[in-house]
């Protein structure tokens, strides 16, 4: 299997994310190594890696992992060195977002609100136009004359 490794930082935490993938490009093994070997976080990330890998081998869809891990909050958290994931609320949040960007289709990522920088800019532009149109329609409906039916005696 081929694999890709990227170094990352989340707040004060530093680590490496290695993903081995099958011939068709699907992730088959995930390995997360934190820079401080022997720390509690490093041990937890080893266990986390093993869980994801075993799940993938047994047919658990990547979406299930990403859905659970995106948004998890614990330290280290904060800015990252990844231009596509500028901020993460934990290492698990970062890993979930990175796996989603690399391996999940756009429609699933929209549901999870995990988009690339370019996709976020495009969505913001479209949503901005949509909001302006919506505001105008609401304003227009508020300025329409009120139609009152005469009462029957």
């Amino acid at each position: 299997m081929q694999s890709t490794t990227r170094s990352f930082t989340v707040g004060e935490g530093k680590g490496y994310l290695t993903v081995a993938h099958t011939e068709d490009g699907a992730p088959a093994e995930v390995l997360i190594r934190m820079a401080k070997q022997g720390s509690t976080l490093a041990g937890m990330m080893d266990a986390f890696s093993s869980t994801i890998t075993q799940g993938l081998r047994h047919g658990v869809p990547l979406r299930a992992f990403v859905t659970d891990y995106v948004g998890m909050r614990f330290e280290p958290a904060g800015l990252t060195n990844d231009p596509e994931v500028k901020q993460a609320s934990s290492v698990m949040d970062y890993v979930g977002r990175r796996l989603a960007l690399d391996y999940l289709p756009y429609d699933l990522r929209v549901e999870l609100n995990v988009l690339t920088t370019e996709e976020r800019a495009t969505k913001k532009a479209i949503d901005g136009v949509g909001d302006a149109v919506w505001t105008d329609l609401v304003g227009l409906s508020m300025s329409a004359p009120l139609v009152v039916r005469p009462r029957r005696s």
Side-chain angles (χ1 to χ4, degrees), residues 31-69:
L31 179 64
I32 304 157
R33 292 282 182 212
M34 297 306 292
K36 292 183 181 177
Q37 289 299 319
S39 73
T40 302
L41 182 60
M44 292 302 295
M45 290 300 107
D46 286 345
F48 173 58
S49 300
S50 178
T51 301
I52 292 176
T53 299
Q54 290 300 319
L56 292 172
R57 287 181 183 166
H58 287 87
V60 177
L62 182 62
R63 176 189 178 150
F65 291 113
V66 171
T67 301
D68 283 348
Y69 299 136

Side-chain angles (χ1 to χ4, degrees), residues 9 13 20 44 59 67 89 91 94-96 98 107 111 122 130 136 144 146:
T9 60
M44 292 302 295
T67 301
S89 57
V91 174
Y94 172 77
V95 169
R98 188 71 255 170
D107 59 328
E111 288 178 28
T122 302
D136 290 344
L146 184 61

Side-chain angles (χ1 to χ4, degrees), residues 70-120:
V70 167
M72 277 195 166
R73 297 179 159 280
F74 58 87
E75 293 296 325
L79 298 176
T80 75
N81 63 340
D82 188 331
E84 298 297 334
V85 182
K86 295 183 186 231
Q87 193 162 356
S89 57
S90 67
V91 174
M92 291 174 96
D93 177 53
Y94 172 77
V95 169
R97 291 176 185 281
R98 188 71 255 170
L99 291 172
L101 289 171
D102 291 342
Y103 298 102
L104 292 182
Y106 176 78
D107 59 328
L108 292 178
R109 291 188 294 109
V110 168
E111 288 178 28
L112 298 168
N113 198 26
V114 178
L115 304 172
T116 65
T117 304
E118 184 179 326
E119 290 167 345
R120 280 191 305 272

Side-chain angles (χ1 to χ4, degrees), residues 127-144:
D127 287 350
V129 170
D131 289 346
V133 169
W134 175 250
T135 302
D136 290 344
L137 289 175
V138 170
L140 182 61
S141 69
M142 297 300 286
S143 65

